[in-house]
Amino acid sequence: MSLPTRARSSAALVLAGVLWGTGGLAGSLLGGLSGLHPLAVADYRLLVGGGVATLFVLLTGGTFPRTPGAVRRTLAVGGLFALFQASYFAAVALSSVSVATMTTIGAAPVFVTLASVRKLRRWTVVSVAGTLAGLVLLQWSPGEAISFGGLGCALLAATGFAALTLLTAKPVEGLEPLSTTAFGCLTGGLLLVPVASWSGMAIPLHADVLALVCYLGAVPTALAYAAYLRGLADAHPVLGSLSAVLEPLTAAVLSAALLGERLGVTAWCGAAVLVAALVVGYWRPEPR
């Protein structure tokens, strides 16, 4: 891979991770203002994100998937979106946000590495190990009880995200990254509707609530996943999964800056370790 191509793919992956981090804050605010269950928030995220991206694709001359390969890819991506979101929020309900996030985002690079790398390189091991250590420090909660149900759901979510990363790293003819995001998110959102409806999906029609719904769907979902899938087209899947750790890092920094949540010394050390692990991953990426 040439240096400009590598730089563009790395920038796309970094953008995706940072935008996902803003989604955590937006989703939390939306849940607080609307009273929605986290699963309903996730479903609105997929439905609105998929709808906005689909409208953009169609208005710019794109079409719905037509070839058998594109249709199969869209259904697979939609199913993995639904699995990832449902499992993650089940993990949140059974444990906590910190444990669910740490387990999901921390396990995904391990799963991707084991599935895609035939021979582990030293720098890959260092980067993955540093990522796990940084996540533990960033979201460390001493004395928090372990929920094996929550842990299992978080690992299932990590499996779904890892499968999505590995699947979309291989392009399909007639299906660009934005189209994959658009139709995949919309399909995943429709698959989640029956489950999310059980928790209630009615929202107050207030300007601030509607603005958050639009932002959550358009920016940290449609734009972020389009950037992620674009970056994966020219980067190794391991690097893509490592980029996802920017989500909890960004969320932690934004919460401290905007909500006044104080980060302790341990959390800041974890943030530093995460950044160092990502630098190693970008500096010494696995060959494709």
Side-chain angles (χ1 to χ4, degrees):
M1 189 194 314
S2 66
L3 185 58
T5 301
R6 177 179 164 187
R8 285 194 299 269
S9 65
S10 298
L13 293 174
V14 168
L15 176 64
V18 171
L19 291 181
W20 282 334
T22 71
L25 182 60
S28 177
L29 291 173
L30 176 60
L33 289 174
S34 65
L36 287 173
H37 187 276
L39 189 57
V41 172
D43 198 21
Y44 272 116
R45 179 177 186 173
L46 290 178
L47 287 172
V48 175
V52 168
T54 296
L55 183 62
F56 180 82
V57 168
L58 296 178
L59 289 177
T60 54
T63 60
F64 286 100
R66 294 180 177 179
T67 66
V71 172
R72 287 194 298 269
R73 172 62 61 86
T74 299
L75 292 174
V77 169
L80 289 172
F81 269 130
L83 172 66
F84 169 59
Q85 292 289 338
S87 301
Y88 173 73
F89 284 106
V92 169
L94 292 171
S95 55
S96 68
V97 174
S98 61
V99 170
T101 302
M102 184 175 67
T103 305
T104 301
I105 301 301
V110 178
F111 292 162
V112 172
T113 301
L114 293 176
S116 63
V117 177
R118 295 181 180 179
K119 182 179 179 181
L120 287 176
R121 299 168 70 230
R122 177 179 58 184
W123 291 113
T124 299
V125 174
V126 169
S127 187
V128 172
T131 297
L132 293 174
L135 281 169
V136 170
L137 292 173
L138 181 66
Q139 304 193 46
W140 179 253
S141 300
E144 188 165 7
I146 296 176
S147 166
F148 290 102
L151 182 63
C153 288
L155 291 175
L156 182 60
T159 302
F161 184 80
L164 179 69
T165 297
L166 292 169
L167 178 69
T168 51
K170 301 175 181 178
V172 168
E173 185 177 356
L175 201 60
E176 298 297 324
L178 180 57
S179 299
T180 303
T181 300
F183 304 126
C185 282
L186 190 57
T187 300
L190 292 173
L191 290 173
L192 274 184
V193 165
V195 181
S197 297
W198 174 78
S199 66
M201 294 187 66
I203 59 172
L205 299 180
H206 299 159
D208 52 354
V209 173
L210 295 177
L212 280 171
V213 170
C214 292
Y215 177 84
L216 186 62
V219 180
T221 306
L223 181 57
Y225 273 107
Y228 184 68
L229 299 185
R230 170 62 186 85
L232 281 179
D234 297 308
H236 197 281
V238 172
L239 182 57
S241 60
L242 286 172
S243 298
V245 302
L246 286 170
E247 176 182 0
L249 178 59
T250 302
V253 172
L254 286 177
S255 296
L258 301 179
L259 302 181
E261 296 181 4
R262 299 183 62 182
L263 294 181
V265 175
T266 302
W268 282 115
C269 289
V273 172
L274 275 179
V275 172
L278 277 175
V279 169
V280 170
Y282 285 104
W283 178 47
R284 296 285 188 178
E286 282 283 343
R288 284 184 67 84

